[in-house]
Amino acid sequence: MIVVLKPNTNGEEITRIEYMLKQNGVDTHVVEQDNGTIIGCTGDLSKIDSKSFEMNPVVDYVASVPEPYKLANRAFHPEDSIIDVSGVKVGGNHLAMIAGPCSIESYEQVMEIAKNVKAAGANMLRGGAFKPRTSPYSFQGLGLDGLEILCAVREETGLPIVTELMSTEHLDIFNEKVDLIQIGARNMQNFELLKQLGDVDRPILLKRGLNATYEEWIMSAEYIMAAGNKNVILCERGIRTFETYTRNTLDLQSIPVIKKNTHLPVIIDPSHAGGKWWLVEPMAKAAVVAGADGLIIEVHNNPECALCDGPQSLKPKKYDQLLNQIKQLAPIVGRTI
Ligand code: PEP
Ligand code: MN
């Protein structure tokens, strides 16, 4: 349920309405926006008589929010959320351009890629230290040593770092060192992990599960938000379909659907979607034109020898060419990098 207050309602009146709602046992979430204040309500609403609230002179109207997700719901927060990742804004008219290798392999490898993608226009660096691999015999990532490499490259380049957290065991160190904490597709419904992210100060990049519906994906964001962390960015990375030619099927429709139903930024990962490097450019361009708030793209200096996901990785030169095109497309859809 939302209680929409009349424009220019002052702070004292807002507090009074909030108090009355709380007296009835609901949790309140005050969102102040340019065109007025909304008090979002969650929890047990059974004692609320919306008609009597509507009689209050500062209340414009009361509306129910039928969707199971509340804090992520556009009704709770009509304006787009803009998430700050260590100074880089994501959402609104800002585009997040995240690039880097699938896995951190060495300092030299990450450093070379980081310099290249930064020169091309990337504003964040990705790289996996802990890798969720299908086979236990595949490269599992360098772990905390990899994280140290990523931090050292941030020091050199100034690029905020994005890396995947797989276990609550590393929550504190990620909270200390990682600018944007990625939750991978395979952990999208790891509810214990999601709940713990509520205590983290860092923004979260929540990837869509391989077979998650929109509602399930948004509910996972809701878990993080309900636990206390409102800074969630969603990432579509392809879903499982009957098609086997591509690794997954990129669901571009998710962009307008997420934007219609939530206020959270949504970025696209064309690398894991198609699984082929030559699909990255057309899908990345389509995503920006369709309204994505950014792109996360795998770039490798030597994809043939990459320890993970070489076939879907762009070489730095191709990434540079792609960003040149994105820079031309962005203003057409009201965006800047
Ligand atoms: C990744 O970004 O490295 C990754 C493993 O992605 P996903 O969780 O989308 O498969
Ligand atoms: Mn990968």
Side-chain angles (χ1 to χ4, degrees):
M1 185 186 86
I2 50 168
V3 179
V4 180
L5 304 183
K6 294 205 174 125
N8 306 318
T9 301
N10 67 37
E12 210 174 293
E13 286 164 333
I14 296 170
T15 311
R16 199 162 45 80
I17 300 287
E18 217 192 336
Y19 178 77
M20 286 158 67
L21 289 161
K22 281 184 175 154
Q23 286 285 88
N24 284 287
V26 305
D27 294 322
T28 55
H29 312 268
V30 177
V31 178
E32 291 184 40
Q33 310 225 312
D34 286 349
N35 48 3
T37 300
I38 293 174
I39 307 180
C41 301
T42 54
D44 179 10
L45 306 176
S46 60
K47 292 201 194 77
I48 301 284
D49 173 13
S50 53
K51 287 277 166 290
S52 75
F53 268 92
E54 271 177 342
M55 276 151 64
N56 193 301
V58 300
V59 173
D60 192 357
Y61 63 93
V62 176
S64 70
V65 176
E67 294 81 14
Y69 48 89
K70 312 292 178 189
L71 300 175
N73 203 304
R74 177 101 34 209
F76 265 53
H77 192 290
E79 289 170 16
D80 288 341
S81 274
I82 298 175
I83 311 284
D84 189 305
V85 183
S86 303
V88 175
K89 299 221 172 0
V90 186
N93 61 351
H94 311 274
L95 282 181
M97 287 295 142
I98 308 170
C102 177
S103 308
I104 296 155
E105 297 170 15
S106 69
Y107 174 80
E108 292 71 26
Q109 172 236 16
V110 184
M111 194 60 217
E112 184 181 332
I113 296 168
K115 280 186 181 153
N116 279 300
V117 298
K118 185 179 177 183
N123 49 19
M124 279 186 241
L125 175 66
R126 66 148 288 149
F130 296 91
K131 294 303 305 175
R133 303 304 301 275
T134 303
S135 165
Y137 309 116
S138 301
F139 177 58
Q140 303 287 307
L142 296 181
L144 292 177
D145 292 341
L147 181 56
E148 287 311 316
I149 291 173
L150 208 52
C151 291
V153 175
R154 170 180 54 198
E155 202 63 26
E156 279 291 309
T157 60
L159 291 172
I161 56 174
V162 186
T163 194
E164 178 169 350
L165 173 71
M166 296 213 299
S167 158
T168 52
E169 183 195 341
H170 299 121
L171 201 72
D172 289 344
I173 190 155
F174 270 59
N175 194 21
E176 188 191 326
K177 301 194 168 185
V178 177
D179 298 289
L180 176 58
I181 299 176
Q182 178 175 324
I183 298 300
R186 290 154 194 83
N187 269 318
M188 189 206 83
Q189 285 190 316
N190 181 341
F191 299 116
E192 283 312 309
L193 182 59
L194 299 180
K195 282 189 233 171
Q196 300 233 10
L197 295 171
D199 295 327
V200 161
D201 310 312
R202 305 289 186 167
I204 309 298
L205 180 66
L206 179 66
K207 291 192 131 192
R208 182 179 184 182
L210 276 69
N211 59 0
T213 63
Y214 297 134
E215 193 167 289
E216 287 164 342
W217 184 20
I218 302 169
M219 287 312 289
S220 289
E222 188 81 11
Y223 256 96
I224 302 169
M225 298 174 83
N229 187 347
K230 304 276 165 56
N231 295 316
V232 180
I233 301 169
L234 297 170
C235 176
E236 157 66 33
R237 43 77 73 207
I239 48 172
R240 280 271 165 87
T241 66
F242 55 81
E243 183 56 72
T244 54
Y245 182 80
T246 49
R247 184 174 178 180
N248 293 290
T249 297
L250 181 62
D251 179 10
L252 282 176
Q253 293 178 139
S254 65
I255 302 166
V257 170
I258 291 296
K259 295 214 148 279
K260 179 174 187 291
N261 292 293
T262 85
H263 53 91
L264 303 175
V266 57
I267 72 166
I268 292 293
D269 174 348
S271 309
H272 291 90
K276 300 178 194 297
W277 69 266
W278 52 270
L279 278 171
V280 171
E281 182 200 301
M283 293 301 99
K285 290 193 286 190
V288 168
V289 173
D293 294 295
L295 300 166
I296 178 166
I297 291 179
E298 288 186 341
V299 178
H300 201 287
N301 49 349
N302 189 2
E304 293 78 12
C305 299
L307 294 182
C308 187
D309 287 350
Q312 67 195 33
S313 299
L314 291 186
K315 290 183 178 164
K317 191 159 174 263
K318 283 266 178 253
Y319 183 71
D320 184 65
Q321 288 167 355
L322 170 61
L323 281 217
N324 276 331
Q325 296 183 51
I326 300 287
K327 282 175 198 160
Q328 290 175 50
L329 289 171
I332 300 171
V333 287
R335 302 301 186 109
T336 52
I337 300 181

